[in-house]
Amino acid sequence: MAKEKETKVDAKSKKSGKDEKLFWVDSKGKRVDGRGINDLRAIKIQAGVLPNADGSCYLEWGQNKVLVAVNGPREVLPKHQANPYRAIVRYTYRMAAFSVTERKNPRPGRRETEISKVSGEALERAIFLERFPNTAIDIFVEVLDSNAGTRIACLTAAAVAVADAGIPMRDLVTGITVGRADSHQIVDLNKHEEDAEDAVDMAVAFLPNSKEVVLLQMDGEITQEEYSKLMQVAMDNVEKVYEIQKKALKESVENKKPEVVEGMEQYLSASPADHHSDDHNHDSSPKRGKVSMKEKDPFSFGETDYTEVEDENPDAEHEAFDAGKE
Ligand code: CDP
């Protein structure tokens, strides 16, 4: 895709060679990149892009480009991390060295650790973890290109990838950023707007049907009244993102085998009530090896089951992971 179009800020400073007074929202209600105050950048979502993963998603949100792979539910390695009552979610957010204007140190920093933690916890609110005791759901997120709002872009993509893996959830998780520039409340801030002197930048993620908040982070200072208004702006606009997520899942369903579609039906159902029912009918006995959620070989027609598949060498993957960290 073409690079995000040159903003008025770039154009102005190039022309005059010095800083000018900027209007974050001009008299016509236009922002520096030409959007209105409630306009999102263009969003494209494609599910099921990585055949080797159990679930996957590629998302573009303006200039942000992210790729998500989901593996699991599968055996927990190292074993001591296993929870006998529920699955654990391991969310790994990473930014590629080339994803920012200044080269980023590829070593994971505190920011990536923080984003991984809060995003994993947000998804935990959505997934029926208790159905898969002693297992791990691993979510690997790579930011390939960035221009503010990557944690929300990644979380939104990750929810689609989890659904694509056929993992049962109460609801998808859908995120949006809202904030303030001058005295205007705006949606989906870009990097210029986020870096404005008095900017307020609030990342929010919801379970979109119940509007339960599962992630909330903010930079800047606002009054309680402003916060309530911003939250309303977030709720009013998050639906747009949710619709694009559902569309991506519907499109990917068309390319899937019937038994996989069965596991994904709940995300496509119209009734919010469906998203909240948990029948507890699943086998909850501890499992070894990989938990097979679906038949992945497109040329075989085995039954969908939750039975274990023994790894020939269950520690191999963990050893490889550790080796990679050194
Ligand atoms: O991406 P998000 O808005 O969720 O997180 P942030 O910490 O507020 O970062 C805002 C933006 O700063 C990112 O989207 C990147 O474009 C940029 N950034 C950067 O240039 N270098 C970094 N090491 C981290 C972020």
Side-chain angles (χ1 to χ4, degrees):
M1 226 182 79
K3 254 197 136 180
E4 198 141 293
K5 78 177 172 194
E6 189 181 59
T7 65
K8 281 188 196 168
V9 182
D10 299 328
K12 266 188 184 173
S13 45
K14 256 190 210 166
K15 212 169 157 187
S16 64
K18 61 180 184 196
D19 287 344
E20 289 180 27
K21 166 100 180 93
L22 288 171
F23 294 96
W24 292 106
V25 180
D26 70 15
S27 55
K28 291 182 185 145
K30 294 281 179 203
R31 289 153 66 179
V32 288
D33 56 6
R35 282 184 289 156
I37 53 171
N38 284 329
D39 290 346
L40 297 167
R41 292 173 285 181
I43 301 175
K44 280 202 316 201
I45 305 180
Q46 196 181 349
V49 291
L50 302 173
N52 287 341
D54 292 323
S56 60
C57 178
Y58 173 69
L59 174 146
E60 291 183 0
W61 188 320
Q63 187 187 327
N64 294 319
K65 296 181 179 64
V66 308
L67 188 59
V68 182
V70 171
N71 283 321
R74 60 180 178 179
E75 184 179 18
V76 185
L77 293 170
K79 285 186 169 51
H80 68 82
Q81 285 184 359
N83 183 329
Y85 301 105
R86 39 162 266 182
I88 59 166
V89 172
R90 296 185 293 202
Y91 187 106
T92 311
Y93 166 102
R94 293 285 181 264
M95 277 188 116
F98 50 80
S99 67
V100 290
T101 41
E102 300 288 318
R103 177 185 175 275
K104 187 200 156 287
N105 185 338
R107 191 185 287 264
R110 283 196 309 185
R111 177 178 168 279
E112 282 155 305
T113 306
E114 172 216 311
I115 293 176
S116 300
K117 180 178 190 299
V118 295
S119 305
E121 287 171 357
L123 278 168
E124 281 179 6
R125 295 288 304 155
I127 301 170
F128 285 117
L129 300 171
E130 62 284 1
R131 291 188 184 176
F132 306 103
N134 280 321
T135 67
I137 297 169
D138 289 313
I139 304 168
F140 303 99
V141 186
E142 294 289 333
V143 178
L144 307 173
D145 200 358
S146 72
N147 186 304
T150 58
R151 76 194 62 206
I152 285 303
C154 291
L155 185 52
T156 299
V160 172
V162 172
D164 181 56
I167 296 170
M169 289 196 278
R170 292 177 177 80
D171 201 348
L172 287 175
V173 172
T174 312
I176 191 160
T177 59
V178 289
R180 187 188 65 204
D182 291 332
S183 54
H184 302 274
Q185 288 179 335
I186 54 176
V187 172
D188 185 23
L189 285 72
N190 65 27
K191 185 87 169 86
H192 281 308
E193 291 167 331
E194 232 187 64
D195 291 345
E197 212 168 277
D198 66 339
V200 169
D201 165 31
M202 193 164 107
V204 202
F206 299 95
L207 303 186
N209 283 288
S210 63
K211 291 289 190 297
E212 183 185 334
V213 175
V214 291
L215 179 142
L216 177 58
Q217 296 190 289
M218 191 176 69
D219 282 334
E221 286 178 17
I222 48 171
T223 63
Q224 199 161 349
E225 193 188 341
E226 275 181 302
Y227 164 78
S228 304
K229 283 187 185 161
L230 272 184
M231 199 48 130
Q232 192 57 51
V233 173
M235 280 192 219
D236 292 345
N237 286 281
V238 76
E239 200 70 23
K240 299 174 191 168
V241 185
Y242 181 45
E243 289 305 316
I244 302 169
Q245 284 177 303
K246 283 196 292 184
K247 185 167 166 276
L249 282 169
K250 276 183 186 150
E251 280 166 7
S252 83
V253 159
E254 283 164 16
N255 301 325
K256 285 190 197 301
K257 292 182 6 182
E259 65 267 25
V260 180
V261 174
E262 221 168 83
M264 294 173 69
E265 260 167 6
Q266 57 173 312
Y267 313 111
L268 308 172
S269 87
S271 159
D274 296 348
H275 296 269
H276 294 270
S277 65
D278 185 1
D279 52 20
H280 297 286
N281 279 342
H282 293 258
D283 173 16
S284 63
S285 57
K287 294 171 175 65
R288 288 200 66 246
K290 278 186 187 160
V291 180
S292 165
M293 290 285 297
K294 64 187 185 188
E295 185 55 63
K296 285 199 292 179
D297 179 354
F299 300 107
S300 77
F301 295 89
E303 284 181 85
T304 305
D305 62 23
Y306 292 85
T307 55
E308 59 190 78
V309 179
E310 287 291 336
D311 275 345
E312 277 172 20
N313 178 4
D315 287 333
E317 190 178 350
H318 177 50
E319 283 159 12
F321 177 74
D322 280 349
K325 280 205 297 193
E326 279 154 19

